[in-house]
Amino acid sequence: MATKNLIVDNKIFDISYEIINPTCKKDIIFLHGWGSNKDIMKNAFSPYLNNFRHIYIDLPGFGKTANKYELKTGDYAKITDEFLKLLNSSKDIIAGHSYGGKVATLLNPKNLVLLSSAGILEEKPFDVRLKIALSKFLNKLGLRNITKLFRSKDVNTMSENMYATFKNVVNEDFTAHFSDFSNNALIFWGERDVATSLQSGKKIASLIKKSTFISYDADHYFFARNAKDISERIENGIL
């Protein structure tokens, strides 16, 4: 594990990362999902794709990369792009899981690999919509402290700046970004995914013109058990 310091838009970041196969000429970059970290991606994919330099990154606010700012997905893409420039990365392949898929798409790599990517807005359950409406109402009354009672346990552990960041990114519609992506794409999905539905994956595949869609009988973290097959399809499918 290593860190690199960079300044983007007057914001300072120390990006934690790890490189596998450092002498290889082509790169594959792995971007984790919200609330996750680089180790989940590394544990799944490091045994495979041996002809590539693997770059595993902790995005700001996750893993061992701290974040003290309120960010948007465009900021994450800009930070990641500047970081990759420091590594002289060729950006041959960028693989993004869940939220990382949105960041990967904005980076416009030569080859895009989406793993149950976020970015398609889905209707929230009634109880969630009710909590959101009630929270907004209480905020207008100046009762912001009470609204914290409605947050999920995962959200409640976030710092205030990461909670603000979460609110910035959670309801983004990436339909236009997927439609605008014109390079090669492989889209992998878990058929029992309840975080990003199978229907979302099929919609993304219909939006990206040069894409192939593959699904597995698994959940949101399907890639942990299917990394070998995914890696072989990457080697054979888009390269």
Side-chain angles (χ1 to χ4, degrees), residues 174-191:
F174 259 52
T175 299
H177 294 297
F178 293 131
S179 294
D180 290 342
F181 187 80
S182 59
N183 296 332
N184 297 316
L186 281 178
I187 302 168
F188 299 97
W189 225 268
E191 294 167 2

Side-chain angles (χ1 to χ4, degrees), residues 15-208:
I15 304 296
S16 176
Y17 69 101
E18 189 164 345
I19 291 178
I20 306 292
N21 307 327
T23 60
C24 291
K25 303 301 182 185
K26 290 185 177 182
D27 288 343
I28 180 166
I29 298 104
F30 293 92
L31 302 179
H32 60 77
W34 189 272
S36 188
N37 57 68
K38 66 180 180 299
D39 291 336
I40 290 175
M41 308 299 286
K42 185 187 74 171
N43 291 341
F45 290 102
S46 60
Y48 310 111
L49 296 159
N50 295 321
N51 293 321
F52 289 85
R53 180 173 70 152
H54 295 210
I55 302 174
Y56 298 93
I57 303 169
D58 276 337
L59 295 171
F62 305 101
K64 292 182 172 61
T65 299
N67 174 52
K68 57 185 179 181
Y69 310 102
E70 179 180 337
L71 302 173
K72 298 179 180 178
T73 300
D75 297 317
Y76 276 102
K78 191 172 183 179
I79 293 161
T80 304
D81 193 45
E82 291 300 316
F83 169 76
L84 292 174
K85 287 177 183 177
L86 294 178
L87 295 182
N88 296 314
S89 174
S90 56
K91 294 198 298 186
D92 296 287
I93 308 173
I94 300 182
H97 173 237
S98 198
Y99 179 67
K102 290 164 62 175
V103 179
T105 302
L106 291 183
L107 288 166
N108 195 36
K110 299 172 187 175
N111 297 284
L112 176 66
V113 176
L114 297 178
L115 307 166
S116 279
S117 178
I120 299 298
L121 292 183
E122 302 183 42
E123 187 174 7
K124 295 178 175 63
F126 175 76
D127 61 332
V128 174
R129 285 182 280 135
L130 183 62
K131 285 181 180 179
I132 292 172
L134 186 55
S135 293
K136 288 181 177 179
F137 175 71
L138 292 171
N139 282 337
K140 288 181 179 179
L141 295 178
L143 302 173
R144 185 173 298 274
N145 287 335
I146 295 177
T147 64
K148 293 181 180 180
L149 299 174
F150 296 100
R151 299 181 188 178
S152 68
K153 291 181 180 179
D154 290 341
V155 170
N156 220 23
T157 59
M158 295 179 194
S159 63
E160 284 303 314
N161 60 290
M162 285 305 294
Y163 180 57
T165 298
F166 175 73
K167 289 194 294 182
N168 287 339
V169 307
V170 68
N171 289 320
E172 293 171 319
D173 183 358
F174 259 52
T175 299
H177 294 297
F178 293 131
S179 294
D180 290 342
F181 187 80
S182 59
N183 296 332
N184 297 316
L186 281 178
I187 302 168
F188 299 97
W189 225 268
E191 294 167 2
R192 294 184 279 107
D193 194 330
V194 295
T196 52
S197 73
L198 184 63
Q199 288 70 31
S200 290
K202 291 179 178 179
K203 182 173 182 180
I204 293 173
S206 72
L207 293 169
I208 299 179

Side-chain angles (χ1 to χ4, degrees), residues 49 93 113 186 188 230-239:
L49 296 159
I93 308 173
V113 176
L186 281 178
F188 299 97
I230 293 168
S231 298
E232 289 174 352
R233 290 179 183 272
I234 291 172
E235 290 176 325
N236 298 327
I238 58 177
L239 304 177

